[in-house]
Each structure stands twice: as C-alpha cells, then as structure tokens.
Amino acid sequence: MARRIDVRGAGGVRLAAWEFGDPPKTARTRDGAYEGTRDGAYGGPHDPAHDAAGHLPGVLLLHGLMGRASHWAPTARWLSARHRAVALDQRGHGRSDKPPRAAYTREAYVEDVEAALEQLGLGPAVLIGHAMGALTAWQLAAKRPDLVRGLIICDMRASALGAASQHTWTEWFRAWPVPFATLADVRKWFGEDDPWVERPNPARGEFYAEVMAESPDGWRPVFEPEQMLRSRETWVYDAHWEELAQVRCPTLVVRGLDGELGRAEAQEMVRVLPHGQYAEVADAGHLVHYDQPEAWRAAIEPFLDTLRES
C-alpha cells in the first residue's frame, strides 16, 4: 500500500511523494512528514539501524525522464525494512503537477528535491536516482552536501549527448502510435515493436504501461511529451563532470551491462568522484532496476550496508 505526501517544490509546484513501506507509528508533522520510526525493523528504535534520535535513515528515490515514483515500489518496499524510503514524482511526471508554463530546468528539478528532503525531514539522506533522476541527485549533492549522505547513480552519463540526440528523441515521440487501444498494445509496442527495441523486452513494456492512463479514446501517457523534451534539452547539450567532481559523499555508479552508460565512461565517473565505487548488472539494459530487480538489489546492498555502518 502506498501513502501519498504532498510537498511544494520550486515556484510552488505541487509534488507527490510516496511511501511504499509500512507507515511510521507516530504522528505526522505539520509539513506532512512523519516523525519517529516504525517498530519491527531491527527490533525498534534502539536498534543500530536507527540514528541517534531513533529515526530510520532516509532514502529518496528519483525516477528518470518519463518515469514515476511507482517504478521504484519494489525497491522502496525492500528498503523500508531498514530505511524510511520515499519515492518522488518529479515535476511533469506521475501525480505531480504539470503546469504548462512551469520551469522545466535543471535548477527547478534540483530545487524540487531540495525542498522535498527538507519538508519530509529525510536529510541527510541517501539519494538513489535513475537516468535524469541520477543527474538531479548528483547536482543536489554538489549543491547541498548537508542534505546528502550517500548517492547511487543508476545508468546516467556525465558526458554531453548533443543536438542529434535531442532530434532523435523528438522523432521517437512522434512515432508513438497513440492512443493505444489497450494496455496489452502498450506492452507489445514498447516491449517488441518500438524501433529502439533490439530484442523482445517484456520489462520495458511493463515500464511504459506504468506511465499510461486511460482516456476516452484509449491509453495515453500521463506526461506531456513536449514537457519531457523541454526537460531533456536542459542537460543534453552540456557535460556534467565538474558537478560530479564536487560530490563529496560516498557514491556508487551502477550500470546495466547493455545500458546507455558504457563501462569506460562509468569507470571514468568513478575516478572523477572523490569517493566513487562501481557496480554493474548483467543481462540488464537502461532500466536496470526493472530488468533485473534481484541483481539490482544485490548490487546496491553492500554499499547501503557500508553507509549504515558508518
């Protein structure tokens, strides 16, 4: 069962945050956050998994472009045994506001996460980000080291992708056969028929089915493709190595063996990071946590254990 907590991001944009684990057994604060801990994890608030004040350590999960918080549900539920795990629908995504005139800039996305951490009382938290969410996470870690105690970067490149990449995405959105008649059609197109699919990938079909909503004429995405392109154009023309080098907390770079982040670039990111570590997941593409959920958890668990022990 998921519980929604509304927070306010940059410019007053309403953002939906979601807790997928058991609720903390204490009262809610006025800003919508929950105080205290859940009983049962490690035997209660005096267990070493809790901090000195008895709180479970916070984790904020950030989806990628076109994603939504529910993509993190299995990971969040797994984390909730030892953490207070919250997933955020970023602006323009999921159940968060999608104002047409809102800023879809890097600064806005980073300020949203900054506001969410403060309003939820999660910081200093571990940030786990996929793709665009990973970039947002490391930009915030560079900006506000006091709010971030650890960082997991999942399949996001630090190098510039360029104008050709943005053009390719524009044409890809135009190729979508929307509206889809059924969710089965969504799964088939994104899992098999999409020209970007090299071989059948049922997990990819399920991933995109999760971001569709039924309308009078069929199934359409819950986001506006134009807003996605506006969000994307704010990072694809620039490299982000300098911000990566400014991240001072322990950081794990995770890539799918067949993902968009190549091994050489991932290892260079680890080298640039002051406290970088590396992991890769076999038989996984860009959607690492969706393609191979058990292997994904196995890849990040030792890193999280080390953070808890420290």
Side-chain angles (χ1 to χ4, degrees):
M1 181 177 178
R3 184 169 70 265
R4 174 175 172 167
I5 308 170
D6 283 345
V7 298
R8 291 287 173 179
V13 172
R14 183 184 55 83
L15 306 171
W18 302 86
E19 287 188 287
F20 292 95
D22 294 334
K25 296 182 179 179
T26 55
R28 184 187 286 201
T29 63
R30 287 190 298 176
D31 64 6
Y34 285 84
E35 295 180 329
T37 66
R38 292 184 301 104
D39 294 331
Y42 290 97
H46 299 296
D47 188 272
H50 299 74
D51 66 17
H55 298 84
L56 286 170
V59 175
L60 186 65
L61 299 118
L62 302 173
H63 59 74
L65 191 73
M66 302 180 293
R68 65 187 307 173
S70 58
H71 283 141
W72 287 117
T75 297
R77 291 191 180 102
W78 169 71
L79 287 168
S80 68
R82 300 182 178 186
H83 304 82
R84 184 184 172 210
V86 180
L88 183 69
D89 278 333
Q90 296 175 78
R91 62 174 55 212
H93 296 75
R95 297 286 186 87
S96 289
D97 283 350
K98 306 168 181 65
R101 293 181 178 81
Y104 290 91
T105 62
R106 283 286 81 220
E107 291 77 15
Y109 277 103
V110 172
E111 288 173 13
D112 284 348
V113 176
E114 183 178 5
L117 287 172
E118 291 176 335
Q119 291 169 42
L120 293 166
L122 282 178
V126 177
L127 298 186
I128 302 178
H130 173 245
M132 178 192 76
L135 175 59
T136 301
W138 89 59
Q139 288 179 324
L140 178 63
K143 176 186 177 184
R144 290 289 306 272
D146 58 307
L147 288 177
V148 185
R149 61 187 296 265
L151 177 63
I152 297 178
I153 296 170
C154 179
D155 217 68
M156 180 60 187
R157 300 179 63 183
S159 58
L161 303 180
S165 171
Q166 189 71 351
H167 176 73
T168 297
W169 272 69
T170 301
E171 294 304 310
W172 179 57
F173 275 127
R174 290 174 181 165
W176 288 19
V178 292
F180 294 92
T182 68
L183 279 179
D185 292 328
V186 174
R187 295 184 182 98
K188 185 175 185 302
W189 197 82
F190 287 102
E192 300 178 26
D193 300 339
D194 183 350
W196 284 15
V197 176
E198 295 181 357
R199 59 181 181 271
N201 186 341
R204 189 174 187 269
E206 291 294 340
F207 183 93
Y208 283 97
E210 186 75 13
V211 296
M212 296 290 162
E214 192 170 15
S215 61
D217 61 350
W219 292 84
R220 295 178 177 274
V222 298
F223 51 79
E224 295 294 334
E226 180 58 34
Q227 291 178 355
M228 298 300 98
L229 290 171
R230 284 167 55 194
S231 298
R232 193 174 186 274
E233 71 182 5
T234 65
W235 86 74
V236 296
Y237 302 116
D238 301 311
H240 304 282
W241 295 99
E242 183 176 345
E243 294 152 305
L244 199 67
Q246 294 170 6
V247 174
R248 298 298 168 186
C249 64
T251 302
L252 178 67
V253 177
V254 184
R255 63 178 290 269
L257 204 60
D258 300 314
E260 296 180 10
L261 175 61
R263 180 180 285 124
E265 183 170 354
Q267 292 177 342
E268 179 64 12
M269 290 169 66
V270 171
R271 190 193 68 79
V272 167
L273 284 158
H275 304 285
Q277 301 176 40
Y278 174 76
E280 64 182 30
V281 178
D283 299 319
H286 179 57
L287 307 176
V288 182
H289 55 300
Y290 234 70
D291 286 345
Q292 298 292 340
E294 291 185 8
W296 155 252
R297 293 192 292 267
I300 67 174
E301 187 170 24
F303 177 77
L304 293 170
D305 286 345
T306 300
L307 288 180
R308 276 199 309 274
E309 291 166 1
S310 64

